[in-house]
Structures are given as structure tokens and as C-alpha cells.
Amino acid sequence: MSNEKIKNHYHSNMTRRESLKLFGALSAMTLVPMMAGCSLTSSPKKGHWPTLKLAPITVKGYGKDPSLIIPPESLWPKTLTPKQLDLVAILSDIIVPQEATSPSATQVKVPDVIDEWVSAPYNRQQHDRLTILSALVWIDDESTLRFGQTFAALKAKQQYAIIDDIAYRAPNLPEEFVQIAEAFAVFRGLVLAAYFCSPAGIKDIGYLGNVPVVGDYPGPTPEAMQHLNKILVELGLEA
């Protein structure tokens, strides 16, 4: 990612219906990670984890059977500030950069889906809201401590130096990075889930579901049947 790209502001052209559709897809996914082993009610003994006091989002949701063709008249407002959205965009493209014919996270408007997620008035999303907003504050604070500038103003090499320290919770991870590593894992999981729920992401992994078959159904390939039979033998379920 070039420095010129880093300095650009994120601009959205995704409709609310599109972002709500992807929000619904994420909500239905069992693989979207939950925060594990990281309590945001207390700060770690080392480091500079922020203590945020967020005003609760009190608007009502739209129920369990929303209409995505005709959205409800009153939607919850999106809550990420332009600065937060820019930071989400930069981090999203670090997680899913553009490669060959595969678009980056921002090119498929992942930040819009993250904004939708943290702005929703449901318990799960509000839990993640505190986690993600705290992580964004920590990343900017760490950037200022290390390099005297916010994360968006850093050169790519400096940005990656910070992300490399928090990308995963390694066994020997310093204590001051444990909480941010767990929070970043939640953010990363949402970015990846949003990306692979998008049409471009679905195409990228070669998913062929929901595609009509013309003529007789050809059935599984010989390779698929060979793999299935192998698994059945291992499980003692062969015919």
C-alpha cells in the first residue's frame, strides 16, 4: 500500500440497503469471532489500554425478519466518525490488500459493513463496538507514542511495525500487547467475514452455491466422491 493511498480519505458509495444486507449475512454467520478471554472492564497492568465510556445506542432495531427490498423507515444511525472510518479503511486494506484480480477490503466497501455492525443496537454488536473503538484508540495512541503521529499519517513500514506486534496472540507476546491482540482478532474476523460475504469475496474463494444448473444435475465430481469415501472409511461408515 503506497503512502499516497494511506493519505486518501475513505469515500463510500454503498447504499444502506447493501450494507444492511451484508450486516444480515454477518449476523447469521457462526464463524464471526466472539471476544475470548479479554475483559474490557479493567485495564491491563502494563500498556495504555484506553477506558472508553460510550453512550449506549438506544434506538430500536428492525426485528428478526427485516425487508431488504424496502428497508424500514427508521434505521439506526451509523456512528463511526470520518476519522474512525479512515482508520478502519487503512486497517482493512492491511488485512485484505488488493492482489492480482482480487480487490482489497475497501474496494468492496468493508468499512461500511463495519460501521453498520458497530452502530447496530443489538447486544452482540454493542459488545463489539466497545472492543473495536477501544482498539482504534489504542492503535492511534501507540502510533503517537512510537512515531509522533497518528496511524493514518505514518509510512507503510511504520504501520506494519505496529500491526506485526499485535496481529496475533503469540505465546510469548508481551503483556502490554495481549489485550489489543485479542481486540484486533475480533476486528480482523469481522473484516474477513464482511469481505467474503461480498460478491467479490464469494467469487474469490470460488463458491458456486446459489447458481442454477441447466439440465440434469451432474452430481459430485469423482475427486469429491473419492474424498467422501475416504472420510467415511476413516469414520467406519463405509457402505
Side-chain angles (χ1 to χ4, degrees):
M1 182 166 54
S2 68
N3 292 337
E4 181 181 358
K5 172 69 175 177
I6 291 170
K7 294 178 182 179
N8 287 341
H9 292 292
Y10 177 75
H11 296 288
S12 168
N13 59 6
M14 176 176 274
T15 67
R16 198 67 194 275
R17 188 178 74 173
E18 291 172 322
S19 63
L20 282 171
K21 183 177 179 180
L22 288 173
F23 168 83
L26 257 66
S27 299
M29 290 180 66
T30 59
L31 295 181
V32 175
M34 289 292 288
M35 195 70 169
C38 181
S39 172
L40 297 181
T41 60
S42 61
S43 298
K45 295 179 180 179
K46 295 183 179 180
H48 53 85
W49 186 259
T51 302
L52 302 187
K53 295 186 181 297
L54 303 177
I57 294 178
T58 58
V59 297
K60 293 183 178 180
Y62 50 61
K64 297 182 178 180
D65 189 22
S67 171
L68 296 177
I69 298 177
I70 305 176
E73 294 181 2
S74 179
L75 293 170
W76 56 77
K78 290 186 176 182
T79 58
L80 288 183
T81 66
K83 180 182 176 181
Q84 289 170 332
L85 203 57
D86 285 345
L87 182 51
V88 166
I90 294 169
L91 295 170
S92 297
D93 273 358
I94 289 175
I95 294 169
V96 186
Q98 181 179 9
E99 293 184 354
T101 59
S102 298
S104 69
T106 57
Q107 288 173 323
V108 301
K109 303 305 178 184
V110 163
D112 290 87
V113 186
I114 302 299
D115 195 1
E116 198 77 67
W117 186 271
V118 300
S119 303
Y122 308 114
N123 290 337
R124 166 65 196 280
Q125 282 69 33
Q126 286 310 292
H127 183 276
D128 287 345
R129 176 184 177 221
L130 178 58
T131 301
I132 290 171
L133 294 190
S134 297
L136 297 182
V137 171
W138 187 97
I139 288 171
D140 263 346
D141 287 348
E142 182 72 10
S143 303
T144 302
L145 288 170
R146 291 197 196 188
F147 304 111
Q149 300 181 92
T150 61
F151 193 83
L154 299 181
K155 296 180 180 179
K157 183 177 180 180
Q158 296 170 321
Q159 291 180 338
Y160 289 124
I162 294 174
I163 298 304
D164 284 345
D165 285 340
I166 67 173
Y168 299 99
R169 184 174 177 178
N172 59 345
L173 188 67
E175 182 181 347
E176 59 265 31
F177 293 149
V178 170
Q179 198 156 3
I180 181 59
E182 292 176 337
F184 190 76
V186 173
F187 177 78
R188 180 177 61 245
L190 286 172
V191 168
L192 293 173
Y195 182 85
F196 288 113
C197 279
S198 71
I202 291 172
K203 180 180 178 181
D204 194 43
I205 61 176
Y207 177 65
L208 299 178
N210 300 322
V211 177
V213 175
V214 178
D216 295 333
Y217 175 61
T221 64
E223 292 81 7
M225 287 302 302
Q226 182 180 5
H227 176 72
L228 175 60
N229 289 330
K230 178 183 176 182
I231 298 299
L232 290 175
V233 169
E234 291 175 356
L235 296 174
L237 299 175
E238 69 273 18

